[in-house]
């Protein structure tokens, strides 16, 4: 939910402004906008992840009210293992959208197959004693690989992949103004 709400909304707000900035002000200005939006997104998703962790002791017992204590503990441990997926999926979503904005559609369309392949590989490597953590670790590892590959694809297109802050300019304000109502 956090990934779809935040990253999907950010993409809808970022892409039109990103294209407009790239066309009017050049690639360098578009890269600065992307970097600033990515920084804010990672920060926001990290805060959401922290809130999920801090509040898990309140909502998890309600959501899993029929679970035995051991199963509830396992659920909480799996939640902790999978939490990086929130930030990684957000990064992946935004990177794919920026590639699409540059009319590069194949890589972002094919990348989502990686996580299921990695997860299946983790399960197969586990042998007959498949551990439930193999699923969680496969998910996290797959998202990390997807994010990294999209980062490489962006780098090849000349898009800066690092986080950074250049201040609150009119382009970033425009993205934020379009993001907030969503």
């Amino acid at each position: 939910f956090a990934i779809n709400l935040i990253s999907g909304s950010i993409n809808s707000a970022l892409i039109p402004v990103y294209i407009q900035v790239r066309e009017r002000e050049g690639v360098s200005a578009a890269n600065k906008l992307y970097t600033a939006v990515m920084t804010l997104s990672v920060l926001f998703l990290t805060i959401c992840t922290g809130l999920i962790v801090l509040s898990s002791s309140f909502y998890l017992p309600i959501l899993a009210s029929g679970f035995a204590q051991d199963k509830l503990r396992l659920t909480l441990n799996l939640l902790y293992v999978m939490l990086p997926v929130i930030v990684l999926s957000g990064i992946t979503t935004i990177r794919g959208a920026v590639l699409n904005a540059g009319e590069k559609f194949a890589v972002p369309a094919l990348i989502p197959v990686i996580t299921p392949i990695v997860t299946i590989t983790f399960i197969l490597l586990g042998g007959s004693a498949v551990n439930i953590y193999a699923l969680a670790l496969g998910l996290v590892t797959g998202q990390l690989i997807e994010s990294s590959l999209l980062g490489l694809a962006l780098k090849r297109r000349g898009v800066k992949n690092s986080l950074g802050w250049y201040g609150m300019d009119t382009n970033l304000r425009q993205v934020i103004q379009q993001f907030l109502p969503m």
Side-chain angles (χ1 to χ4, degrees):
F1 174 75
I3 296 162
N4 290 334
L5 178 69
I6 297 166
S7 298
S9 298
I10 288 172
N11 284 346
S12 298
L14 169 63
I15 298 311
V17 179
Y18 177 84
I19 293 170
Q20 177 185 358
V21 169
R22 187 184 65 210
E23 299 298 318
R24 291 185 182 167
E25 300 175 34
V27 173
S28 178
N31 283 347
K32 283 183 179 181
L33 176 63
Y34 162 72
T35 300
V37 169
M38 184 63 78
T39 301
L40 286 177
S41 299
V42 167
L43 178 65
F44 196 52
L45 288 167
T46 301
I47 289 169
C48 287
T49 302
L51 291 173
I52 289 169
V53 169
L54 292 174
S55 62
S56 63
S57 62
F58 299 109
Y59 69 81
L60 203 53
I62 295 167
L63 291 175
S65 60
F67 285 10
Q69 200 60 26
D70 288 348
K71 192 172 186 178
L72 184 60
R73 197 171 13 264
L74 174 63
T75 303
L76 185 61
N77 289 339
L78 288 170
L79 173 71
Y80 292 153
V81 170
M82 293 188 302
L83 280 173
V85 170
I86 294 173
V87 176
L88 290 170
S89 290
I91 292 169
T92 300
T93 301
I94 294 169
R95 285 179 173 176
V98 170
L99 281 168
N100 285 335
E103 298 182 8
K104 295 296 178 189
F105 304 107
V107 172
L110 294 173
I111 287 290
V113 76
I114 290 173
T115 296
I117 290 172
V118 170
T119 303
I120 290 168
T121 303
F122 272 53
I123 292 168
L124 292 176
L125 291 176
S128 60
V130 174
N131 187 325
I132 189 69
Y133 288 100
L135 292 169
L137 292 171
L139 176 66
V140 173
T141 304
Q143 283 297 311
L144 181 62
I145 293 169
E146 286 183 21
S147 177
S148 299
L149 290 175
L150 287 170
L152 288 173
L154 282 171
K155 187 175 181 179
R156 286 185 179 167
R157 300 257 321 140
V159 177
K160 184 180 176 183
N161 279 311
S162 63
L163 301 177
W165 186 251
Y166 304 99
M168 184 69 71
D169 63 5
T170 57
N171 296 326
L172 186 56
R173 276 191 194 92
Q174 186 177 358
V175 172
I176 292 170
Q177 287 171 348
Q178 291 180 21
F179 168 73
L180 289 177
M182 289 185 238

